[in-house]
């Protein structure tokens, strides 16, 4: 090997720095959310102590990722993907039940969630497939294969009733868009979500039908000189939206479980059930809101520490930041995430091969989805779904899988110049 | 291909971040309600009720102390998963009773006397037995907690009227309270010493901030108790009361309406102050306060009426002692002055005709003092009898009032009445501007007419005579807190306008009243020289009130006393008997005359 291959000179230290800040701050917050005055942050009986072990494990894992040859990931993408799918398949049968969800595979006293690792595996396989020579996004067969690739883990995770994690895979649509997929599908998806909420809000469905009709007419007018195929697609989209309206009641009442229905209704009307389904969001908002501008100070939060906010050290870890560090702290955290996301996009764009670029975008989009839904649910902009905040939330599977996700990209990035040499 | 798609994604990322920041700005900075809710949520302010000061008698016996009391409080807002069946089982209530309790609670909420965020006393005054049962299970009922405090307990029934009682501060009192000390649910002294010494007895409320988790389980103090304040116990009081004497007085006065006040002349300390009929003060503590209070205050015998300070009577013959001394001081008579018992204007009693001053006091000669008062009021200082009387009356008033008559003495109890010593202005008003002179007002000469006194003033008068011319304001508390001293106003000597030499005649005469006069049969003691004076307050058409004042021993007196027994006839009987028994009890430890005690106990004079 040549001397200039020393990894420390090529790795993107900006990303590493942001990663370090997030993990360290997250660790402090986990301590703050659970500590008991008498116990130290290193106490292994506390979540903070265990998180410290996870952090150490992450560092070991990072070193391993950096040492392993970069070609490993591309070469073994299908293999990794297949292995994870196999584990996911096993979970409903041999998994242990934690908090009502059977999502864990146990090895002794430790457990892992294969669904967490399915994200980077899917990112690898999608990148590998798109990176294949001769791949065309407008090729229907290629598209079907891609959708099957994200559809498989979604289905398997849905079997575990982990709806939150299943939704994460939808974010690959953003990656596909970047790689040439028509935005039309995204828009229809977005439209369906909006229509879904509006249907629950607006009593008279005919107003919505009318709105869709007007939108369809306008779209047809502007595209009147285009190919007939486009007109058909627009009409199909409008019909899908109209169908959504008629099916909302069915979906809501039959496909969603009762507690999901409530979570959606609570979002629409927060006053609805403050002690029941609305409890999470209500308490979470109280905790964040009570932080004010500067926050109550480290370890001074009362709401999170006293367990008013459920899962305050995992999915609702942001409450601790909001309460103890105030708006300033929230600003800092959001800036960190924006910095990371933009940096990852920057890294993705400077890759020399398509595999690495697609993988980079997958990393950015997965992180973005987690960040956006997690914060949105804690501040009452999105129904409560079990989505951890990357690098902040307590949990070994979550931290390790995000670490793997990010550092594979850093490894690829460190060797981006080699790609050309190899070709 | 795919130009600008990178930028689209970047814009989406940043846009979401901005949306969050704006939303957070509203939640964290603009909106206030979350901050308020957080306080309600996590921090329970627990009031530490102070222990009220206790009261002991002059010999260290307990009169008033505190009993622990436990209330079950509820914060409605925090009640969840309420299992009424379980609640009934733990708290030993029927479903019906529970419904009633909630009904009351909701009524209070509707009346805005309670709200769902503030602790409300759900079950009052749990017994310690209940408490033991409940304490283990209280965590099953989020929103409910036990508040401990103390309530008053009275070791003796005999001091009820003097001690007064304590109850929860009323809505009106809260509105009037400018100090901001009181909160709803606080106890406050409502009458007697409890009210007068309220500021010393009450102590200071403390506050403890406790952190709770979402189930309401206390997780320790907030910020290591940085904001906590300890409750400061009230100051203990030492009373001047001799509880043994007090109880004996109550025993003697049982079944009678009236009062007994015994004072230590050298200090003004009240040894006993009995009001009859009385009530059991323990009825006015605890759970049944309101019902019992209604019952007691509706009692036709008025047990809450504190006769020693509130019952106003005409002074009667006893006033002649004062009259004699004022006349001597004014120089209108000498001890040797003899006046014929001319019964044409004013009637008299007993066989006598031409007494000197001593004889006139001993025989309570009405015409003698009628004449003496005329000499005082009409000294010829003005040209017409009207102005002359006016000048004379003003001088007479000054002397009489220096004994403490016609004004509040300033005892350490509320609601003291002042009695009445008629002034010239009083008669102007009474006669509606028409002229008046001695012949219109002469009945004040013998303690009848417009004069009014309260029994306390009479006891104080006896003490003043015992002291030969001065008194200390009678008081019930000789030590406040750790000072060992009474309030400063009770250390101040009040002198009368009479020279101490002029008391000699009065004292000799009072000795003779007991030894050979109207009180000889029932107030005379073998080993102790008692000085006394009977009085009979006419009370047409009802039987007369029996009055007696006394002090003993004559030299270096230890006790001065006034006794009023309503509707019991002449002063020489019931009142003199009780007074002498009290003197015996205090000086000798008990009576040597069981027949007199029996005589007193037999008498029932309640109207």
């Amino acid at each position: 090997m040549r001397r200039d291959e020393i990894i420390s000179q090529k790795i993107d230290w900006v990303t590493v720095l942001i990663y370090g800040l997030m993990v360290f701050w997250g660790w402090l917050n986990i301590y703050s959310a659970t500590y008991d005055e008498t116990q130290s942050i290193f106490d292994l009986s506390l979540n903070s102590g265990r998180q410290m072990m996870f952090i150490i494990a992450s560092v070991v894992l990072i070193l391993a990722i950096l040492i392993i040859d970069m070609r490993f990931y591309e070469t073994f993408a299908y293999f990794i993907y297949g292995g994870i799918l196999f584990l996911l398949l096993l979970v409903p049968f041999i998994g242990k039940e934690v908090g009502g969800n059977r999502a864990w595979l146990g090895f002794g006293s430790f457990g892992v969630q294969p669904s967490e690792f399915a994200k980077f595996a899917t990112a690898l396989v999608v990148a590998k497939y798109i990176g294949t020579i001769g791949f065309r996004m407008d090729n229907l067969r290629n598209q079907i294969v891609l959708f099957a690739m994200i559809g498989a883990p979604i289905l398997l995770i849905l079997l575990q009733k982990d709806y939150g994690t299943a939704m994460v895979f939808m974010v690959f649509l953003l990656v596909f868009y970047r790689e040439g997929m028509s935005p039309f599908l995204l828009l229809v998806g977005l439209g369906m979500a909006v229509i879904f909420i509006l249907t629950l809000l607006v009593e008279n469905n005919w107003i919505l039908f009318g709105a869709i009709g007007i939108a369809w007419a306008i779209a047809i007018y502007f595209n009147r000189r285009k190919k007939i195929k486009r007109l058909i697609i627009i009409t199909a989209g409008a019909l899908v939206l109209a169908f959504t309206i008629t099916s909302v009641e069915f979906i809501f009442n039959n496909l969603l479980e009762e507690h999901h229905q409530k979570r959606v209704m609570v979002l629409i009307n927060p006053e609805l059930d403050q002690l029941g389904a609305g409890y999470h969001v209500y308490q979470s908002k109280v905790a964040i809101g009570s932080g004010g501008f500067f926050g109550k100070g480290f370890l001074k939060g009362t709401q999170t520490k006293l367990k008013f906010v459920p899962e305050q050290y995992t999915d609702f870890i942001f409450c601790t930041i909001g309460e103890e560090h105030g708006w300033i702290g929230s600003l800092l955290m959001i800036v960190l995430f924006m910095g990371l996301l933009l940096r990852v996009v920057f890294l993705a764009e400077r890759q020399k091969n398509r595999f690495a670029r697609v993988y980079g975008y997958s990393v950015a989009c997965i992180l973005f989805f987690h960040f956006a839904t997690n914060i949105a649910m804690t501040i009452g902009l999105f129904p409560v779904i079990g989505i951890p905040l990357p690098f902040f939330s307590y949990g070994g599977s979550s931290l390790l899988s995000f670490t793997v996700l990010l550092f594979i990209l850093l490894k690829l990035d460190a060797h981006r110049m080699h790609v050309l040499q190899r070709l | 291909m795919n130009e600008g798609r990178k930028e689209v994604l970047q814009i989406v990322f940043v846009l979401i971040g901005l949306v969050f920041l704006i939303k957070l700005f509203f939640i964290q900075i603009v909106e206030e309600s979350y901050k308020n809710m957080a306080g309600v949520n996590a921090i329970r302010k627990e009031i530490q009720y102070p222990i009220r000061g206790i009261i002991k008698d002059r010999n260290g016996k307990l009169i008033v102390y505190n009993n622990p009391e436990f209330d079950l409080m509820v914060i409605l807002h925090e009640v969840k998963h309420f299992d009424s069946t379980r609640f009934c089982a733990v708290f030993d209530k029927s479903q019906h009773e529970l419904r009633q309790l909630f009904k009351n609670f909701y009524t209070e909420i509707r009346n805005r006397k309670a709200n769902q965020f503030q602790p409300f006393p759900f079950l009052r005054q749990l017994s310690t037995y209940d408490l033991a049962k409940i304490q283990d299970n209280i965590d099953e009922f989020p929103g409910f907690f036990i508040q401990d405090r103390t309530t008053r307990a009275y070791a003796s029934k005999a001091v009820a009227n003097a001690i007064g009682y304590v109850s929860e501060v009323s809505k009106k009192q809260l509105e009037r309270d400018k100090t901001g000390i009181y909160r709803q649910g606080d106890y406050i002294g409502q009458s007697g010493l409890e009210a007068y010494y309220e500021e010393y007895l009450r102590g200071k409320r403390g506050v403890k901030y406790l952190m709770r988790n979402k189930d309401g389980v206390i997780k320790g103090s907030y910020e290591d108790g940085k904001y906590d304040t300890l409750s400061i116990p009230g100051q203990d009081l030492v009373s001047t009361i001799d509880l043994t004497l007090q109880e004996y007085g109550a025993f003697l006065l049982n079944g009678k309406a009236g009062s007994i006040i015994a004072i230590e002349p050298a200090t003004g300390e009240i040894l006993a102050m009995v009001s009859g009929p009385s009530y059991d003060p323990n009825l006015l503590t605890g759970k049944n306060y309101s019902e019992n209070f209604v019952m007691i205050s509706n009692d036709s015998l008025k047990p809450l009426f504190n006769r020693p300070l509130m019952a106003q009577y005409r002074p009667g013959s006893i006033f002649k002692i004062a009259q004699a001394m004022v006349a001597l001081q004014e120089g209108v008579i000498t001890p040797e002055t003899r006046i014929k018992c001319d019964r044409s204007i004013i009637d008299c009693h007993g066989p006598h005709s031409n007494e000197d001053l001593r004889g006139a006091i001993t025989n309570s000669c009405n015409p003698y003092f009628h004449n003496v008062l005329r000499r005082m009021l009409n000294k010829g200082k003005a040209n017409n009898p009207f102005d002359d009387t006016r000048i004379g009356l003003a001088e007479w008033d000054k002397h009489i009032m220096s004994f403490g008559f016609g004004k509040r003495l300033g005892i350490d109890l509320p609601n003291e009445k002042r009695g009445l010593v008629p002034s010239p202005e009083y008669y102007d008003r009474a006669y509606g501007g028409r002229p008046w002179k001695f012949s219109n007002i002469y009945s004040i000469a013998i303690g009848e007419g417009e004069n009014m006194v309260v029994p306390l003033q009479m006891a104080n008068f006896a003490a003043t005579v015992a002291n030969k011319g001065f008194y200390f304001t009678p008081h019930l508390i000789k030590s406040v807190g750790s000072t060992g001293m009474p309030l400063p106003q009770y250390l101040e000597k009040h002198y009368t306008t009479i020279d101490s030499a002029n008391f000699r005649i009065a004292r000799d005469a009072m000795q003779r009243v007991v030894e050979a006069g109207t009180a000889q049969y029932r107030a005379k003691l073998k080993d102790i020289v008692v000085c006394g004076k009977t009085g009979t307050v006419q009370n047409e058409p009802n039987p007369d009130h029996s009055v007696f004042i006394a002090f003993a021993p004559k030299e270096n007196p230890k006790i001065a006393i006034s006794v009023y027994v309503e509707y019991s006839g002449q002063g020489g009987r019931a009142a003199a008997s009780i007074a002498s028994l009290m003197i015996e009890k205090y000086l000798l430890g008990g009576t040597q005359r069981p027949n007199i005690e029996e005589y007193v106990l037999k008498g029932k004079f309640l109207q």
Side-chain angles (χ1 to χ4, degrees):
Chain A
M1 289 236 172
R2 293 202 306 268
R3 292 190 61 80
D4 61 357
E5 276 183 34
I6 295 168
I7 194 80
S8 65
Q9 290 176 356
K10 302 200 164 174
I11 195 162
D12 183 54
W13 283 105
V14 175
T15 312
V16 175
L17 179 71
I18 296 174
Y19 168 82
L21 281 175
M22 285 178 159
V23 170
F24 181 68
W25 195 13
W27 181 51
L28 292 182
N29 280 319
I30 289 164
Y31 177 60
S32 187
T34 54
Y35 97 119
D36 204 352
E37 301 194 19
T38 54
Q39 287 163 295
S40 108
I41 190 168
F42 305 109
D43 193 323
L44 287 183
S45 70
L46 283 183
N47 288 321
S48 61
R50 288 195 290 271
Q51 182 76 357
M52 182 181 66
M53 301 307 292
F54 299 145
I55 293 171
I56 292 168
S58 300
V59 173
V60 173
L61 206 57
I62 288 167
L63 293 176
I65 290 167
L66 296 183
I67 289 166
I68 292 170
D69 191 285
M70 57 157 297
R71 279 162 297 208
F72 171 83
Y73 308 106
E74 191 173 356
T75 312
F76 289 97
Y78 289 118
F79 189 75
I80 294 168
Y81 178 75
I84 296 285
L85 282 190
F86 179 69
L87 288 180
L88 280 176
L89 202 57
L90 283 183
V91 166
F93 304 106
I94 62 165
K96 27 177 204 178
E97 205 166 301
V98 176
N101 287 347
R102 193 182 283 267
W104 294 73
L105 277 183
F107 306 109
S109 64
F110 276 94
V112 290
Q113 284 172 287
S115 54
E116 290 293 328
F117 295 94
K119 294 166 201 166
F120 96 89
T122 308
L124 280 179
V125 81
V126 162
K128 166 101 177 174
Y129 187 68
I130 294 177
T132 316
I133 295 160
F135 174 88
R136 285 180 62 90
M137 194 52 101
D138 54 2
N139 179 306
L140 189 63
R141 210 179 67 94
N142 287 351
Q143 278 188 5
I144 290 169
V145 171
L146 271 184
F147 283 112
M149 279 173 172
I150 65 171
I154 287 177
L155 277 176
L156 289 173
I157 292 168
L158 280 179
L159 284 181
Q160 305 168 7
K161 303 200 168 164
D162 187 353
Y163 301 97
T165 309
M167 281 174 74
V168 175
F169 294 87
M170 304 295 285
V171 86
F172 280 100
L173 291 179
L174 280 182
V175 181
F176 299 165
Y177 163 73
R178 167 64 187 85
E179 292 304 318
M181 188 184 74
S182 159
F184 187 73
L185 202 56
L186 278 180
L187 290 177
V188 170
L190 194 67
M192 278 170 75
V194 170
I195 291 286
F196 189 89
I197 299 292
L198 282 178
T199 313
L200 292 174
L201 274 181
V202 180
E203 288 291 319
N204 192 344
N205 286 346
W206 291 106
I207 297 174
L208 297 175
F209 283 125
I212 291 170
I214 291 165
W216 171 80
I218 292 170
I220 291 291
Y221 177 79
F222 282 110
N223 289 293
R224 62 190 183 280
R225 295 188 202 287
K226 299 284 168 59
K227 284 182 193 163
I228 190 76
K229 187 181 168 192
R230 168 157 299 194
L231 299 182
I232 291 170
I233 289 173
I234 290 170
T235 309
L239 285 175
V240 166
L241 291 182
F243 179 71
T244 307
I245 296 171
T246 54
S247 59
V248 159
E249 202 168 323
F250 176 79
I251 293 171
F252 192 76
N253 291 335
N254 297 68
L255 295 189
L256 291 183
E257 290 179 24
E258 199 185 339
H259 66 280
H260 291 129
Q261 295 173 10
K262 279 189 182 158
R263 285 177 190 178
V264 174
M265 288 318 288
V266 161
L267 192 71
I268 293 164
N269 180 8
E271 310 292 310
L272 201 62
D273 190 7
Q274 288 183 352
L275 292 176
Y279 184 77
H280 276 59
V281 178
Y282 175 68
Q283 293 295 352
S284 161
K285 281 163 91 174
V286 167
I288 296 167
S290 69
F293 191 75
F294 291 109
K296 296 175 184 169
F298 181 53
L299 300 182
K300 298 278 174 61
T302 55
Q303 300 299 299
T304 44
K305 198 175 326 193
L306 296 171
K307 304 185 173 57
F308 280 96
V309 184
E311 286 146 69
Q312 80 280 25
Y313 52 90
T314 54
D315 294 349
F316 282 84
I317 190 73
F318 175 62
C319 295
T320 312
I321 299 172
E323 187 181 11
E324 297 193 346
H325 305 290
W327 191 75
I328 286 292
S330 311
L331 173 72
L332 180 59
M333 190 215 65
I334 288 170
V335 166
L336 278 179
F337 265 102
M338 291 296 108
L340 181 67
L341 292 176
L342 295 180
R343 186 71 190 176
V344 169
V345 169
F346 168 77
L347 295 184
E349 285 291 332
R350 77 178 181 187
Q351 298 309 307
K352 306 296 179 200
N353 73 350
R354 206 171 180 191
F355 165 75
R357 188 179 72 209
V358 173
Y359 182 77
Y361 268 102
S362 298
V363 172
C365 290
I366 290 170
L367 290 177
F368 167 72
F369 183 85
H370 273 268
F371 162 75
T373 39
N374 181 278
I375 303 300
M377 81 179 180
T378 55
I379 59 180
L381 293 174
F382 198 76
V384 175
I385 50 169
I387 288 277
L389 186 61
F391 310 121
F392 281 87
S393 288
Y394 167 81
S397 296
S398 153
L399 177 64
L400 290 173
S401 73
F402 284 120
T403 303
V404 170
L405 187 73
L406 184 63
F407 276 84
I408 289 177
L409 174 67
L410 292 190
K411 172 74 178 175
L412 296 176
D413 176 63
H415 299 283
R416 63 189 180 276
M417 303 313 273
H418 293 198
V419 173
L420 293 176
Q421 294 165 8
R422 190 162 59 98
L423 282 176
Chain B
M1 142 170 196
N2 302 336
E3 288 298 311
R5 294 205 168 180
K6 174 188 123 191
E7 285 75 17
V8 168
L9 288 181
Q10 285 169 332
I11 287 166
V12 167
F13 293 170
V14 174
L15 214 57
I16 292 284
L18 284 177
V19 167
F20 288 167
L21 279 178
I22 291 163
K23 174 76 178 174
L24 283 166
F25 186 83
F26 277 98
I27 293 180
Q28 297 186 296
I29 296 163
V30 178
E31 187 69 59
E32 282 293 321
S33 69
Y34 293 117
K35 290 168 195 64
N36 300 335
M37 273 320 297
V40 175
N41 247 347
I43 299 165
R44 155 122 25 98
K45 204 170 120 184
E46 203 175 272
I47 294 181
Q48 309 279 298
Y49 284 102
I51 297 174
R52 208 171 159 82
I54 60 168
I55 306 177
K56 289 180 175 172
D57 93 331
R58 63 191 296 119
N59 300 316
K61 283 193 202 163
L62 267 184
I63 303 177
V64 185
Y65 59 99
N66 298 299
N67 260 342
E69 170 193 294
F70 304 94
D71 292 340
L72 178 71
M73 311 294 283
V74 62
I75 300 172
L76 188 63
H77 173 69
E78 293 169 7
V79 174
K80 29 184 179 187
H81 319 304
F82 185 75
D83 180 346
S84 66
T85 319
R86 181 83 183 117
F87 187 92
C88 288
V90 171
F91 292 89
D92 208 13
K93 294 266 171 262
S94 72
Q95 287 281 357
H96 176 75
E97 286 171 304
L98 182 63
R99 262 197 300 279
Q100 201 56 46
L101 284 168
F102 271 110
K103 227 164 118 187
N104 293 344
F105 186 16
Y106 289 127
T107 316
E108 294 286 285
I109 290 178
R110 254 198 312 282
N111 298 340
R112 294 178 183 279
K113 283 183 181 160
N115 70 55
Q116 53 172 333
F117 297 101
Q118 296 292 319
F120 177 82
F122 196 67
L123 285 175
R124 304 300 300 269
Q125 278 132 353
L126 303 165
S127 68
T128 35
Y129 171 75
D130 288 337
L131 184 74
K133 221 167 32 152
I134 289 164
Q135 234 160 12
D136 290 336
N137 299 309
I138 189 82
D139 280 351
E140 289 175 34
F141 304 102
F144 288 88
F145 66 98
I146 301 279
Q147 169 89 63
D148 61 324
R149 63 200 295 189
T150 57
T151 180
R152 280 310 221 195
Y154 302 92
S156 169
K157 284 197 224 178
V159 213
N161 288 97
I163 297 293
Y165 59 94
V166 162
S167 78
E168 265 183 29
V169 62
S170 71
K171 203 120 197 140
K172 269 193 190 143
Q173 283 171 320
L174 275 178
E175 279 163 18
R176 257 181 289 143
D177 174 35
K178 295 275 188 297
T179 60
I181 290 169
Y182 294 96
R183 298 270 179 286
Q184 198 180 347
D186 281 354
Y187 281 143
I188 185 170
Q190 297 288 15
S191 75
L193 292 173
E194 297 274 26
Y196 194 89
Y197 287 95
E198 170 66 17
E199 59 176 308
Y200 304 97
L201 288 170
R202 70 180 164 221
K204 206 162 169 245
R205 224 190 295 104
V207 178
K208 212 165 163 180
Y209 294 93
L210 297 169
M211 293 206 297
R212 303 175 309 161
N213 70 8
K214 68 170 181 14
D215 298 321
V217 176
I218 304 294
K219 299 298 275 187
S221 62
Y222 176 65
E223 302 256 312
D224 292 327
K226 202 160 80 185
Y227 305 110
D228 292 3
T229 51
L230 281 178
S231 69
I232 299 168
Q235 302 182 45
D236 295 344
L237 304 179
V238 178
S239 173
T240 59
I241 295 267
D242 180 325
L243 198 55
T244 317
L245 187 66
Q246 174 83 18
E247 283 178 338
Y248 186 60
F251 172 68
L252 293 176
L253 208 58
N254 187 25
K256 305 165 188 66
S259 44
I260 305 171
I261 301 114
I263 298 175
E264 183 178 74
T267 57
E269 293 176 1
I270 294 175
L271 302 168
M273 189 162 93
V274 185
S275 179
S278 187
Y279 62 96
D280 181 354
N282 286 308
L283 289 175
L284 295 186
T285 67
K287 220 185 286 205
N288 302 317
Y289 168 82
S290 342
E291 306 156 31
N292 289 338
F293 185 81
V294 171
M295 183 191 83
I296 290 171
S297 55
N298 288 342
D299 190 330
S300 62
L301 296 172
K302 296 205 163 72
L304 288 173
F305 185 61
N306 194 14
R307 286 181 163 75
L309 339 172
M310 297 169 78
Q312 303 190 82
Y313 306 98
R314 275 178 293 210
S317 306
I318 295 167
F319 219 51
K320 288 165 187 164
I321 310 254
Q323 206 76 270
M325 287 185 291
V326 174
L328 288 172
Q329 185 71 23
E330 287 288 306
V332 296
I333 54 166
T334 67
E336 287 71 39
T337 304
R338 286 181 183 275
I339 294 168
K340 243 172 77 190
C341 181
D342 174 1
R343 305 187 181 187
S344 60
I345 300 171
I346 191 162
D347 198 15
C348 199
H349 32 73
H352 59 271
S353 56
N354 195 19
E355 298 289 341
D356 66 359
L357 182 55
R358 283 188 187 83
I361 294 173
T362 313
N363 291 305
S364 206
C365 180
N366 290 338
Y368 189 97
F369 287 99
H370 172 259
N371 189 298
V372 166
L373 186 67
R374 184 206 296 279
R375 292 181 193 200
M376 280 192 283
L377 298 197
N378 292 340
K379 281 190 263 187
K381 285 186 178 172
N383 295 330
N384 62 67
F386 303 107
D387 289 347
D388 199 21
T389 306
R390 173 179 286 273
I391 293 166
L393 182 65
E395 285 170 357
W396 182 82
D397 280 351
K398 194 178 80 221
H399 290 300
I400 293 293
M401 288 180 80
S402 75
F403 285 96
F405 291 118
K407 61 182 180 191
R408 290 192 187 94
L409 282 171
I411 188 180
D412 43 1
L413 288 178
N415 304 322
E416 185 188 357
K417 289 278 185 290
R418 63 176 82 215
L420 179 66
V421 173
S423 61
E425 293 74 30
Y426 173 86
Y427 284 119
D428 287 343
R429 278 198 301 278
Y431 283 87
R434 283 173 284 122
W436 48 272
K437 59 186 165 77
F438 174 73
S439 56
N440 300 110
I441 64 168
Y442 66 81
S443 49
I444 59 172
I446 57 165
E448 298 294 333
E450 291 79 9
N451 281 316
M452 288 297 230
V453 295
V454 294
L456 179 69
Q457 287 169 335
M458 284 307 221
N460 187 55
F461 178 65
T464 310
V465 177
N467 287 338
K468 300 176 199 163
F470 69 86
Y471 66 89
F472 289 95
T473 304
H475 53 280
L476 282 159
I477 295 301
K478 60 188 292 182
S479 167
V480 177
S482 53
T483 60
M485 301 286 274
L487 298 179
Q489 65 264 37
Y490 299 120
L491 296 170
E492 198 184 316
K493 243 182 195 178
H494 300 277
Y495 283 95
T496 60
T497 51
I498 313 297
D499 295 340
S500 88
N502 288 330
F503 279 85
R504 194 170 53 87
I505 304 293
R507 292 158 59 87
D508 291 348
M510 284 170 75
Q511 186 182 344
R512 284 221 7 217
V513 166
V514 174
E515 283 171 2
T518 48
Q520 57 182 305
Y521 306 109
R522 296 196 177 85
K524 192 169 157 186
L525 299 179
K526 213 162 74 193
D527 304 317
I528 302 163
V529 182
V530 178
C531 300
K533 179 74 188 85
T534 59
T536 305
V537 178
Q538 286 162 16
N539 199 26
E540 303 290 342
N542 295 316
D544 295 341
H545 298 323
S546 171
V547 189
F548 190 70
I549 68 163
F551 61 89
K554 186 182 181 193
E555 298 312 320
N556 199 9
K558 291 280 177 256
I559 179 169
I561 191 164
S562 84
V563 177
Y564 276 71
V565 184
E566 294 182 2
Y567 314 117
S568 68
Q570 289 176 6
R573 295 179 188 160
S577 306
I578 290 175
S580 64
L581 286 168
M582 290 290 283
I583 291 169
E584 265 184 310
K585 179 79 176 176
Y586 185 63
L587 296 179
L588 304 175
T591 184
Q592 295 158 335
R593 304 167 302 149
N595 59 321
I596 298 290
E597 193 175 82
E598 200 184 323
Y599 168 78
V600 168
L601 294 176
K602 257 193 345 223
K604 300 266 186 265
F605 308 106
L606 287 178
Q607 283 297 83

